Amino acid sequence: MKIFKIAFLFLLFIGLQNVLLAQSVQFAFVSDTHIGNSTAAEDLRRTVQDINENAALEFVMVTGDITEFGADTELKLARQILDSLNKPWYVVGGNHDSNWSESGANSFRKVFGSETFAFIKGGYQFAATSSGPNMRMSPGQVPRENLVWLDSVLNNMKDPSMPLIYINHYPQDSSLNNWYDALDKVKKRNVQLLLCGHGHNNHLYNFEGIPQVMGRSNLRAKDSIGGYNIVTIKEGKATFEERKPLINTQRQWLEVPMLNHHFASSTQAYPRPSFAVNDKYPQVKKQWQYQDQSDIGSGMALGKGLVVAANTNGQLYALDVKDGKLKWSFATGGKVYSTPAISGDHVVAGSSDNFIYCISLLNGKLIWKYEAQKAVLGSPMIHKDVVYIGSSDGHFRALNLITGALLWDFKEVRGFVVTKPLIYKGKIYFGCWANDFYALNIKTGILQWKWNNGAASRMYSPAACYPVASNGRIFIVAPDQYMTSLDAQTGMVIWRQKMKEGRVRESMGISSNGKRVYVKTMDGQLFGVSTKADSLKISFKSALKLPYELSPSAIVERKGLIYVPSHAGLASAINSKTGEVVWQYKSSNALVNPMLPFGKNAVLMSTMDGKIVSLKYK
């Protein structure tokens, strides 16, 4: 009995100590600055000046979408402006900082020092993670390496009962494909408040019993001036006041109780992604699975019994195709979004550390590397011992596979390249994030023609799709929801149309016989479009019906099956004759990269959250 009383008094003491420690804190909550927008720099400078004049503010946090396009110049300007703050400031990235980043989000780490932050202030533990999508359009995602980091922070808290405030750019709901991973982690501690941006409006949410506050954008938008929030946590509540900088207007719009919700002892269940589809199709089985500790944002290559993949921790590595065992690993200096290519004993891939690497397939040792002036996010194509690859420095290069020597260099690419190029009838084709699409002479690198889609925004560029060709025509799709057929020889538009039956975006592929171009719509449908018709003519329609769909990953057909990736971890195999769904398999809830069928009845799939799965089907 005495021991029980001592334990009770100790717990009571700890609880009172937390109340006393978590007394008060006041800080500036800034979000969605979007440097690169026409008024963004002026809006942020005004906010910085206003914050500097307020001695009561203890620190500043900026919750994502720091830039408009993730460009190096935008990041440096944002850093320059934020450096003029006279108090500590903390920043995490959002989707605009990563999805269209010319550096593959590598510059974000260089400019700001980290993608995450954690500190203790006023008796509260603050912890923040960045969020994508990273270089591939999909719902948001907290990078797996950020979740591993969050685990480390939470597991090493000196006082596990200290009140926790978790910060992420996205709302903590299904707009993040791994929302539940982060929530499950923070709910093991005394999480009392979530903060986010993304929606550009002040708003209160409640996610699984935790209040989450979305802060307005710092941009002025249709107003004459921008704004931010001042947060005061005191006496068991958090108050939010919207501040109009330098004109002394401030209004309290929200008060949130700061409570210990005791999630660790709760038995309430919340919705989680369902994997029931795997029971529906017993003819497909998982042979093995490999879990990376980082994101995987590219496809894979297969050669001599090895599967070669890459991750956002900068590694290229090989797994045994039979059992998924790691055979070797090679470290680059930056995140890798380039799908490796294999020819003989050579593996080639680009890295966001500005290098193109060639390593040995046999042992993972470096053979050669070639330095570009910026990140290399494009995927290589190897043809007759020549490596063709685009980068972010305005160059598209041809390198000797054996020596790495430069064979030719096309220096007039206006935007950065993230795609895998297409070789067809003596030319090489690729798009970039400047609305341009190029055709070069494959032997000399001389420009044969260039086409521009005329979009006002570069975010509509035909940059992320893998172009395909048949019957003397090149086919592309883009975020502007147009499908375009170009004459392969001249670049003249044969037809350019929106599909009435659905909204195409970036996911496409070619049939084995070259008669159809497969396109996946944002409405989750799969169509085949004739490669001979003089207009957009649908010649094939599948029974597949996915929910709202964004994954740009390429579609592949092999041995009568069409492999369709999704942005929610679901792979679908479609009969190429009937359009019926043969089987489906869900390995995670993250974006599926381009799939890799092999052998008699097997396929490899990888997902953005670092899973590689080998499937065998009957």
Side-chain angles (χ1 to χ4, degrees), residues 142 166 168 170-176 178-183 194 196 207-208 212:
V142 180
Y166 173 59
N168 185 70
Y170 275 81
Q172 214 64 34
D173 60 9
S174 58
S175 59
L176 276 172
N178 59 349
W179 84 93
Y180 54 95
D181 282 332
L183 281 183
L194 310 173
C196 72
F207 295 123
E208 301 189 9
Q212 179 163 40

Side-chain angles (χ1 to χ4, degrees), residues 193-212:
L193 182 66
L194 310 173
L195 298 176
C196 72
H198 191 61
H200 289 215
N201 289 300
N202 291 327
H203 195 86
L204 172 65
Y205 296 93
N206 184 294
F207 295 123
E208 301 189 9
I210 315 170
Q212 179 163 40

Side-chain angles (χ1 to χ4, degrees), residues 275 278 284-292 296 300 307 309 317 319-324 569 571 583 585-589 592-598 602-616:
F275 291 79
N278 295 346
V284 58
K285 298 290 185 183
K286 178 175 68 177
Q287 300 300 293
W288 54 259
Q289 176 176 298
Y290 178 85
Q291 178 64 70
D292 203 313
I296 296 176
M300 299 167 287
V307 183
Y317 56 90
L319 308 176
D320 191 312
V321 74
K322 294 179 181 178
D323 56 19
W583 56 258
Y585 186 87
K586 185 176 176 71
S587 66
S588 84
N589 204 51
V592 179
N593 296 305
M595 297 170 66
L596 186 59
F598 70 99
V603 63
L604 290 160
M605 64 180 291
S606 68
T607 49
M608 184 68 88
D609 58 351
K611 285 184 180 178
I612 300 176
V613 177
S614 176
L615 300 175
K616 190 82 172 178

Side-chain angles (χ1 to χ4, degrees), residues 40 52 60 63 74 116 136 186 194 198 228 249 283 293 338 401 422 438 475 481:
N52 285 343
V60 183
T63 58
E74 295 172 349
T116 58
R136 301 287 186 273
V186 299
L194 310 173
H198 191 61
Y228 66 102
T249 60
Q283 68 268 41
Q293 293 305 296
S338 175
L401 173 65
L422 166 72
Y438 297 85
F475 299 89
Q481 299 177 27

Side-chain angles (χ1 to χ4, degrees), residues 85-163:
L85 284 163
N86 61 9
K87 55 205 68 186
W89 54 274
Y90 307 90
V91 60
V92 288
N95 55 301
H96 275 259
D97 304 308
S98 57
N99 188 58
W100 298 282
S101 167
E102 64 183 342
S103 72
N106 214 41
S107 290
F108 191 95
R109 293 192 298 185
K110 290 181 179 179
V111 171
F112 294 111
S114 178
E115 295 177 325
T116 58
F117 65 76
F119 62 91
I120 296 173
K121 195 73 174 179
Y124 290 88
Q125 172 73 65
F126 291 82
T129 56
S130 288
S131 52
N134 293 317
M135 304 310 300
R136 301 287 186 273
M137 176 52 68
S138 76
Q141 178 175 314
V142 180
R144 179 162 177 79
E145 54 265 40
N146 281 197
L147 290 173
V148 171
W149 170 88
L150 182 61
D151 253 341
S152 177
V153 170
L154 300 179
N155 291 335
N156 289 284
M157 289 175 64
K158 291 183 178 179
D159 178 7
S161 63
M162 177 178 286

